[in-house]
């Protein structure tokens, strides 16, 4: 009742709003992720954002209503780990500075097909093993990369395998980070010495007069330095607490991503191949502190369940494929995503194949895991909210909640049910696909 | 008070066990591994640190009540092995176990040192996915979501890469050059897969230490720390009668190395600093290391003539050759014994005698026993140093003890057969100061068997590596259902088997069992008394 009142209140507050911007969608059920499942839901969309969602909300007169009681709505699917439409190949090199956004070629059919499958966000990563570069988050629609791009540099992809070359690559990256820190430290010491010298000089020269105006002098010094450091003032502000005026030397392009990792401005997505790689990863990163998610490709005879408790304990995001796998050398089924979820990890699921067909059957494949014991809500979040979190867009995407982008996908039944089809897709408030129109 | 008790305990143990504990190994060759004992290793250092630390932090583990086959020739029936931080602290009877000791009841079982597998494939420690995937582009294609991997390329992981001696030799040759570079970590260490199911097979076969790519590693599960023991201890030397060039070059290398050593010693004896130190230039480093005893020279040979030639070479330059194959060794056992050779053989090898010659030749089941009698140290390897699941009495690592059993059939003593798969290979890998026998000061790597480890019926029930239970047959998906472990009657102290419909006259064994509990009680009282003090 209370909610109803609020709704009418809110709606009453904007009576003059252009009705074209405002749309109320009444559906049989909403899988909101944030608030779980809501039956007989109403979703109010305005200016490409979700304004309200609730059960059986009365809709004020004058607001256009899309009434589809047989439909089920959920947030647009988020595939955070894709190379759809990208075709470059690369070796096992150390190229953390490379950006996948430079590679995207927007006018391609696959993006349209993916969008029609209900996928409203893609995280495109650069090709190659080793450390191939940084991923970009896009909406699968737009004439050029500016139109498509949601956010660039969403994660740094790292490909770690249990072998010497792979581990050495990462070890050296952290060594170089250490060297850079040394360099910064030295530069700072030098800068501080210079500061003191300048002070002494100025104080000497003016000692004949009086020593009262030290404050002024300092301010003068600052103004002297200011012009030389003008271009890097942004960084100054951040480093302000450490010492005003000091500018750390610019890191090399290959080191910079790791500096950003360390400073928590960038996160990493680390791809492992088997359970043992996890131990080797821990051995390499030691006490380096940075944010990272894991990409664990599931295939038959994979043993990631061995490290599920350890990964779950750290509450990491784990990007996996929706597969029921076999315990190595047995016929015993393992539902690794379910085991990861039970252990406390945040499960993210991506399509089995990075093709049109893969995206189309994606949700059904996830449904298979639900049938074999994965929690339903976990499964829903795994293709929406948790995936958005990996892209650093968790505040904006992945859930039907007020303030989020109105990325919605409408089904003619339970999305996990075989036979259920996408009826319509809304991308940022705009219907971009409707089954009826075809 | 507690800490005092704990401190007292080891001291008491030492005095108690002074005569009980097993004697030091009586094998007179310290040259092989003895010198290597000084080599520092991560684990050893850890152990030292732990000693400095308060004993309270120590991790104690005890295998209690088993018949302990120490591997040095002695058997201690119903004895207890106590380890501290993975190193054996005491072996004997009525040990006072420190508070918090984890125990493994081995009564009725036999306890052996963990077996050492020579030349094992790296599949064991690299797992199913360790090999293959060499081409990153291929892997990239596999990776995203191009489906569950059915690619034959990845299936090739079943192909053994490190198995062939040639490949190993090549690898060793490669690595030879950059020994000076000082690699931070061993390659084996960086690719170790403690979740590999081949690890389970190995432990089920009693193997706790394996040679992979010329490195000795421990088989630890679920962790990658402290697994590396030593690498590149065996240096391949090519010396084949079929290739006169190899003979010439090998002799040259040893000549130069020997000359250099002579000059070096002369220079050192003089003690004149003014004199110039002899130059190492042009001296082959591996030959030098062999002569200095830092590494062992490895030969692959089976023909009688070749074996004789190797024996001669070794005696000329004064080192101990390690001969892999050694099929006709039994015909020249005396010569090889004089050369102080090691032989790495497969008792079930079959090779026909060369009919051109009248003299004895070909393989013999007696090879191991004849070599051993002549003083050659025999190590035994299976025909295929891998796990290939091709039958119960296959010729792979599943049946390493069985292979040694065939040497017994040929006349080798049981003790020597056990040593052929424990301490002798440990010596060849330069890790005999850590593994290979159950002795105080060595690593707690032990297997608990339900019978003679060399018998085909025997199952390994438990395997302990570095003082930690790594394998329990009852908990392994592959083995638990085969001849499940019988449950033991649980008796409280003082309780007797009265309610059981047991035979009216109790077995002498049962009587023993009845006697033991009060002893434990006494021990408990002692502890209390000490606490009281």
């Amino acid at each position: 009742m209370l909610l109803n009142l609020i709704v009418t209140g809110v709606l009453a507050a904007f009576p003059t709003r252009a009705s074209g911007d405002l749309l109320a969608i009444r559906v049989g059920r909403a899988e909101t992720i944030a608030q779980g499942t809501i039956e007989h839901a109403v979703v109010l969309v305005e200016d490409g954002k979700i304004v309200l969602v609730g059960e059986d909300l009365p809709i004020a007169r004058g607001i256009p209503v899309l009434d589809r009681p047989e439909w089920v709505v959920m947030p647009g699917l988020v595939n955070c780990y894709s190379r759809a439409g990208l075709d470059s190949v690369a070796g096992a090199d150390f190229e953390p500075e490379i950006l996948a956004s430079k590679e995207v070629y927007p006018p391609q059919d696959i993006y349209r097909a993916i969008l029609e499958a209900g996928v409203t966000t893609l995280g495109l990563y650069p090709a190659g093993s080793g450390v191939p570069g940084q991923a970009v988050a896009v909406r699968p629609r737009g004439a050029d990369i500016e139109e498509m791009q949601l956010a660039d540099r969403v994660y740094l992809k790292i490909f770690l395998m249990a072998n010497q070359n792979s581990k050495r690559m990462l070890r050296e990256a952290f060594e170089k980070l250490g060297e850079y820190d040394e360099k910064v430290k030295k530069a700072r010491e030098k800068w501080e010495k210079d500061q003191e010298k300048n002070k002494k000089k100025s104080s000497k020269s003016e000692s004949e007069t009086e020593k009262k105006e030290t404050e002024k002098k300092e301010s003068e010094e600052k103004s002297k330095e200011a012009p030389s450091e003008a271009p890097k003032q942004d960084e100054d502000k951040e480093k302000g607490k450490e010492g005003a005026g000091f500018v750390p030397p610019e890191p090399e392009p290959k080191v910079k991503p790791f500096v950003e990792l360390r400073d928590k401005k960038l996160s990493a997505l680390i791809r492992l191949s088997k359970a043992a790689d996890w131990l080797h990863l821990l051995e390499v990163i030691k006490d380096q502190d940075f944010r990272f998610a894991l990409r664990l490709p599931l295939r038959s005879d994979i043993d990631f369940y061995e490290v599920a408790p350890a990964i779950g304990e750290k509450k990491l995001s784990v990007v996996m494929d929706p597969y029921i796998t076999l315990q190595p050398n047995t016929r015993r089924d393992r539902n690794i995503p379910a085991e990861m979820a039970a252990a406390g990890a945040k499960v993210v699921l991506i399509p089995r194949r990075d093709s049109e067909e893969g995206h189309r059957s994606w949700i059904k494949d996830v449904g298979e895991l639900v049938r074999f014991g994965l929690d339903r809500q976990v499964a829903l979040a795994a293709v929406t909210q948790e995936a958005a979190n990996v892209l650093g867009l968790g505040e904006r995407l992945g859930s039907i909640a007020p303030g989020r982008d109105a990325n919605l996908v409408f089904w003619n039944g339970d999305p996990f049910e075989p036979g259920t089809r996408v009826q319509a897709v809304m991308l940022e408030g705009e219907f971009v696909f409707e089954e009826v129109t075809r | 008070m507690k800490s005092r008790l704990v401190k007292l305990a080891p001291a008491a143990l030492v005095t108690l066990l002074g005569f009980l504990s097993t004697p030091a190994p009586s094998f007179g060759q310290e040259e092989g591994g003895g010198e290597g004992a000084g080599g520092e290793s991560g684990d050893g250092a850890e152990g030292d640190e732990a000693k400095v630390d308060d004993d309270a932090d120590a991790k104690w583990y005890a295998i209690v009540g088993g018949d302990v086959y120490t591997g040095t020739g002695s058997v201690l029936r119903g004895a207890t092995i106590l380890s501290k931080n993975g190193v054996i602290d005491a072996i004997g009877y009525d040990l006072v176990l420190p508070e918090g000791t984890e125990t493994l009841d081995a009564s009725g079982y036999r306890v052996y040192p963990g077996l050492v597998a020579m030349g094992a494939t790296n599949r064991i420690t690299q797992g199913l996915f360790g090999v293959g995937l060499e081409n990153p582009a291929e892997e990239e294609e596999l990776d995203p979501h191009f489906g569950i991997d059915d690619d034959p390329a990845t299936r090739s992981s079943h192909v053994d890469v490190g198995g062939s001696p040639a490949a190993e030799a090549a690898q060793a040759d490669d690595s030879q050059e950059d020994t000076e570079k000082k690699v931070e970590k061993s390659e084996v260490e960086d690719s170790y897969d403690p979740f590999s199911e081949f690890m389970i097979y190995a432990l089920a076969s009693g193997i706790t230490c394996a040679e992979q790519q010329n490195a000795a590693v421990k088989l630890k599960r679920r962790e990658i720390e402290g697994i590396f023991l030593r690498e590149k201890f065996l240096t391949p030397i090519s010396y084949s009668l079929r290739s006169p060039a190899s003979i010439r070059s090998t002799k040259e290398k040893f000549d130069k190395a020997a000359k250099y050593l002579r000059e070096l010693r002369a220079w050192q004896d003089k003690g004149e600093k003014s004199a110039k130190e002899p130059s190492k230039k042009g001296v082959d480093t591996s030959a030098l290391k062999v002569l200095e005893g830092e590494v062992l020279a490895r030969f692959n040979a089976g023909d009688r003539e070749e074996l004789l030639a190797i024996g001669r070479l070794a005696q000329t330059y004064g080192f101990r050759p390690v001969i892999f194959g050694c099929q006709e060794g039994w015909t020249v056992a005396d010569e090889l014994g004089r050369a102080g050779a090691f032989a790495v053989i497969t008792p079930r090898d079959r090779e026909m005698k060369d009919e051109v010659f009248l003299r004895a030749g070909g393989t013999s089941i007696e090879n191991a026993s004849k070599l051993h009698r002549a003083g050659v140290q025999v190590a035994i390897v299976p025909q295929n140093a891998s796990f290939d699941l091709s039958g119960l009495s296959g010729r792979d690592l599943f049946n390493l003890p069985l292979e040694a059993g065939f040497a017994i059939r040929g006349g080798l003593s049981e003790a020597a057969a056990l040593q052929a798969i424990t301490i002798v290979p440990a010596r060849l890998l330069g890790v005999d100061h850590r593994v290979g026998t159950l002795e105080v000061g060595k690593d707690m790597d032990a297997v608990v068997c339900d019978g003679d480890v060399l018998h085909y019926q025997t199952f390994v029930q438990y395997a302990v590596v570095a003082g930690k239970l790594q394998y329990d047959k009852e908990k392994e998906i592959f083995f638990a259902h085969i001849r499940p472990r019988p449950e033991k009657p649980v008796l409280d102290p003082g309780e007797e088997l009265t309610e059981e419909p047991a035979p009216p006259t109790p077995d002498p064994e049962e009587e023993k069992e009845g006697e033991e509990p009060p002893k434990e009680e006494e021990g408990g009282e002692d502890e209390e008394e000490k606490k009281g003090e």
Side-chain angles (χ1 to χ4, degrees), chain B residues 47-48 60 92 155 205 209 217 244 362 366 377 379 382 391 420 428 458 464 467 490:
Chain B
D48 289 343
W60 298 91
R155 289 293 130 203
S205 311
C209 173
V217 290
E366 288 182 275
Q377 293 199 45
L428 295 184
T458 301
V464 174
V490 181

Side-chain angles (χ1 to χ4, degrees), chain B residues 67-72 74-77 110-113 418 438:
Chain B
D67 294 349
V68 180
Y69 289 69
T70 58
T72 59
S74 57
V75 180
L76 304 169
R77 304 215 179 266
R110 302 192 188 191
V111 185
Y112 292 95
L418 181 64
L438 294 173

